[in-house]
PDB file of all heavy atoms in Angstrom:
ATOM      1  N   LEU A 531     207.211 139.519  95.950  1.00 95.00           N
ATOM      2  CA  LEU A 531     206.819 138.153  95.614  1.00 95.00           C
ATOM      3  C   LEU A 531     207.816 137.626  94.596  1.00 95.00           C
ATOM      4  O   LEU A 531     207.877 138.129  93.463  1.00 95.00           O
ATOM      5  CB  LEU A 531     205.401 138.089  95.028  1.00 95.00           C
ATOM      6  CG  LEU A 531     204.226 138.697  95.806  1.00 95.00           C
ATOM      7  CD1 LEU A 531     202.926 138.060  95.347  1.00 95.00           C
ATOM      8  CD2 LEU A 531     204.372 138.525  97.298  1.00 95.00           C
ATOM      9  N   HIS A 532     208.597 136.649  95.010  1.00 96.00           N
ATOM     10  CA  HIS A 532     209.552 136.036  94.086  1.00 96.00           C
ATOM     11  C   HIS A 532     208.809 135.021  93.235  1.00 96.00           C
ATOM     12  O   HIS A 532     208.243 134.063  93.764  1.00 96.00           O
ATOM     13  CB  HIS A 532     210.670 135.354  94.873  1.00 96.00           C
ATOM     14  CG  HIS A 532     211.409 136.290  95.779  1.00 96.00           C
ATOM     15  ND1 HIS A 532     212.302 137.231  95.321  1.00 96.00           N
ATOM     16  CD2 HIS A 532     211.362 136.459  97.120  1.00 96.00           C
ATOM     17  CE1 HIS A 532     212.784 137.928  96.341  1.00 96.00           C
ATOM     18  NE2 HIS A 532     212.226 137.486  97.448  1.00 96.00           N
ATOM     19  N   LEU A 533     208.806 135.247  91.941  1.00 97.00           N
ATOM     20  CA  LEU A 533     208.135 134.338  91.015  1.00 97.00           C
ATOM     21  C   LEU A 533     209.185 133.502  90.286  1.00 97.00           C
ATOM     22  O   LEU A 533     210.379 133.779  90.372  1.00 97.00           O
ATOM     23  CB  LEU A 533     207.290 135.135  90.013  1.00 97.00           C
ATOM     24  CG  LEU A 533     206.337 136.172  90.619  1.00 97.00           C
ATOM     25  CD1 LEU A 533     205.541 136.873  89.525  1.00 97.00           C
ATOM     26  CD2 LEU A 533     205.404 135.536  91.639  1.00 97.00           C
ATOM     27  N   SER A 534     208.716 132.505  89.563  1.00 97.00           N
ATOM     28  CA  SER A 534     209.671 131.617  88.898  1.00 97.00           C
ATOM     29  C   SER A 534     210.532 132.365  87.892  1.00 97.00           C
ATOM     30  O   SER A 534     211.697 132.046  87.714  1.00 97.00           O
ATOM     31  CB  SER A 534     208.925 130.445  88.234  1.00 97.00           C
ATOM     32  OG  SER A 534     207.652 130.832  87.755  1.00 97.00           O
ATOM     33  N   ALA A 535     209.997 133.403  87.248  1.00 96.00           N
ATOM     34  CA  ALA A 535     210.797 134.114  86.252  1.00 96.00           C
ATOM     35  C   ALA A 535     210.986 135.601  86.577  1.00 96.00           C
ATOM     36  O   ALA A 535     211.920 136.222  86.095  1.00 96.00           O
ATOM     37  CB  ALA A 535     210.151 133.986  84.870  1.00 96.00           C
ATOM     38  N   ASP A 536     210.103 136.173  87.366  1.00 95.00           N
ATOM     39  CA  ASP A 536     210.140 137.610  87.639  1.00 95.00           C
ATOM     40  C   ASP A 536     210.000 137.860  89.136  1.00 95.00           C
ATOM     41  O   ASP A 536     209.840 136.939  89.923  1.00 95.00           O
ATOM     42  CB  ASP A 536     208.970 138.325  86.926  1.00 95.00           C
ATOM     43  CG  ASP A 536     209.170 138.437  85.421  1.00 95.00           C
ATOM     44  OD1 ASP A 536     210.244 138.923  85.009  1.00 95.00           O
ATOM     45  OD2 ASP A 536     208.253 138.048  84.683  1.00 95.00           O
ATOM     46  N   SER A 537     210.037 139.150  89.494  1.00 95.00           N
ATOM     47  CA  SER A 537     209.660 139.563  90.841  1.00 95.00           C
ATOM     48  C   SER A 537     208.460 140.484  90.733  1.00 95.00           C
ATOM     49  O   SER A 537     208.419 141.373  89.883  1.00 95.00           O
ATOM     50  CB  SER A 537     210.802 140.314  91.533  1.00 95.00           C
ATOM     51  OG  SER A 537     211.858 139.429  91.838  1.00 95.00           O
ATOM     52  N   LEU A 538     207.472 140.245  91.588  1.00 95.00           N
ATOM     53  CA  LEU A 538     206.322 141.127  91.655  1.00 95.00           C
ATOM     54  C   LEU A 538     206.471 141.973  92.918  1.00 95.00           C
ATOM     55  O   LEU A 538     206.463 141.448  94.034  1.00 95.00           O
ATOM     56  CB  LEU A 538     205.008 140.334  91.719  1.00 95.00           C
ATOM     57  CG  LEU A 538     203.738 141.171  91.842  1.00 95.00           C
ATOM     58  CD1 LEU A 538     203.544 142.083  90.634  1.00 95.00           C
ATOM     59  CD2 LEU A 538     202.515 140.279  92.045  1.00 95.00           C
ATOM     60  N   LEU A 539     206.636 143.285  92.730  1.00 94.00           N
ATOM     61  CA  LEU A 539     206.813 144.199  93.852  1.00 94.00           C
ATOM     62  C   LEU A 539     205.514 144.955  94.078  1.00 94.00           C
ATOM     63  O   LEU A 539     204.889 145.415  93.117  1.00 94.00           O
ATOM     64  CB  LEU A 539     207.939 145.183  93.551  1.00 94.00           C
ATOM     65  CG  LEU A 539     209.249 144.545  93.067  1.00 94.00           C
ATOM     66  CD1 LEU A 539     210.267 145.603  92.687  1.00 94.00           C
ATOM     67  CD2 LEU A 539     209.810 143.631  94.144  1.00 94.00           C
ATOM     68  N   ILE A 540     205.120 145.068  95.326  1.00 94.00           N
ATOM     69  CA  ILE A 540     203.863 145.735  95.653  1.00 94.00           C
ATOM     70  C   ILE A 540     204.123 146.770  96.737  1.00 94.00           C
ATOM     71  O   ILE A 540     204.681 146.449  97.790  1.00 94.00           O
ATOM     72  CB  ILE A 540     202.805 144.730  96.155  1.00 94.00           C
ATOM     73  CG1 ILE A 540     202.608 143.607  95.130  1.00 94.00           C
ATOM     74  CG2 ILE A 540     201.489 145.447  96.460  1.00 94.00           C
ATOM     75  CD1 ILE A 540     201.688 142.491  95.618  1.00 94.00           C
ATOM     76  N   HIS A 541     203.734 148.028  96.449  1.00 93.00           N
ATOM     77  CA  HIS A 541     203.808 149.075  97.472  1.00 93.00           C
ATOM     78  C   HIS A 541     202.379 149.499  97.799  1.00 93.00           C
ATOM     79  O   HIS A 541     201.638 149.927  96.913  1.00 93.00           O
ATOM     80  CB  HIS A 541     204.618 150.267  96.974  1.00 93.00           C
ATOM     81  CG  HIS A 541     205.096 151.157  98.087  1.00 93.00           C
ATOM     82  ND1 HIS A 541     204.234 151.744  98.991  1.00 93.00           N
ATOM     83  CD2 HIS A 541     206.345 151.517  98.473  1.00 93.00           C
ATOM     84  CE1 HIS A 541     204.938 152.456  99.859  1.00 93.00           C
ATOM     85  NE2 HIS A 541     206.225 152.330  99.572  1.00 93.00           N
ATOM     86  N   LEU A 542     201.998 149.390  99.048  1.00 91.00           N
ATOM     87  CA  LEU A 542     200.607 149.643  99.454  1.00 91.00           C
ATOM     88  C   LEU A 542     200.307 151.126  99.633  1.00 91.00           C
ATOM     89  O   LEU A 542     199.141 151.510  99.724  1.00 91.00           O
ATOM     90  CB  LEU A 542     200.303 148.897 100.756  1.00 91.00           C
ATOM     91  CG  LEU A 542     200.532 147.381 100.689  1.00 91.00           C
ATOM     92  CD1 LEU A 542     200.432 146.766 102.077  1.00 91.00           C
ATOM     93  CD2 LEU A 542     199.523 146.726  99.751  1.00 91.00           C
ATOM     94  N   ARG A 543     201.381 151.936  99.701  1.00 88.00           N
ATOM     95  CA  ARG A 543     201.206 153.381  99.920  1.00 88.00           C
ATOM     96  C   ARG A 543     200.226 153.635 101.058  1.00 88.00           C
ATOM     97  O   ARG A 543     200.343 153.077 102.123  1.00 88.00           O
ATOM     98  CB  ARG A 543     200.760 154.074  98.644  1.00 88.00           C
ATOM     99  CG  ARG A 543     201.828 154.074  97.580  1.00 88.00           C
ATOM    100  CD  ARG A 543     202.874 155.144  97.777  1.00 88.00           C
ATOM    101  NE  ARG A 543     203.940 155.036  96.802  1.00 88.00           N
ATOM    102  CZ  ARG A 543     203.946 155.655  95.622  1.00 88.00           C
ATOM    103  NH1 ARG A 543     202.963 156.448  95.290  1.00 88.00           N
ATOM    104  NH2 ARG A 543     204.949 155.498  94.800  1.00 88.00           N
ATOM    105  N   MET A 544     199.227 154.496 100.787  1.00 85.00           N
ATOM    106  CA  MET A 544     198.360 154.948 101.870  1.00 85.00           C
ATOM    107  C   MET A 544     197.312 153.933 102.299  1.00 85.00           C
ATOM    108  O   MET A 544     197.071 153.724 103.471  1.00 85.00           O
ATOM    109  CB  MET A 544     197.629 156.221 101.453  1.00 85.00           C
ATOM    110  CG  MET A 544     198.538 157.336 101.088  1.00 85.00           C
ATOM    111  SD  MET A 544     199.530 157.757 102.481  1.00 85.00           S
ATOM    112  CE  MET A 544     198.262 158.066 103.667  1.00 85.00           C
ATOM    113  N   SER A 545     196.653 153.353 101.337  1.00 85.00           N
ATOM    114  CA  SER A 545     195.429 152.615 101.665  1.00 85.00           C
ATOM    115  C   SER A 545     195.381 151.224 101.059  1.00 85.00           C
ATOM    116  O   SER A 545     194.338 150.580 101.094  1.00 85.00           O
ATOM    117  CB  SER A 545     194.203 153.416 101.206  1.00 85.00           C
ATOM    118  OG  SER A 545     194.255 153.624  99.797  1.00 85.00           O
ATOM    119  N   GLY A 546     196.488 150.758 100.516  1.00 89.00           N
ATOM    120  CA  GLY A 546     196.471 149.449  99.872  1.00 89.00           C
ATOM    121  C   GLY A 546     196.380 148.314 100.876  1.00 89.00           C
ATOM    122  O   GLY A 546     196.803 148.434 102.020  1.00 89.00           O
TER     123      GLY A 546
END
Side-chain angles (χ1 to χ4, degrees):
Chain A
L531 306 202
H532 302 286
L533 309 181
S534 33
D536 287 308
S537 290
L538 178 62
L539 310 175
I540 305 174
H541 198 303
L542 303 170
R543 292 280 175 91
M544 301 299 305
S545 60

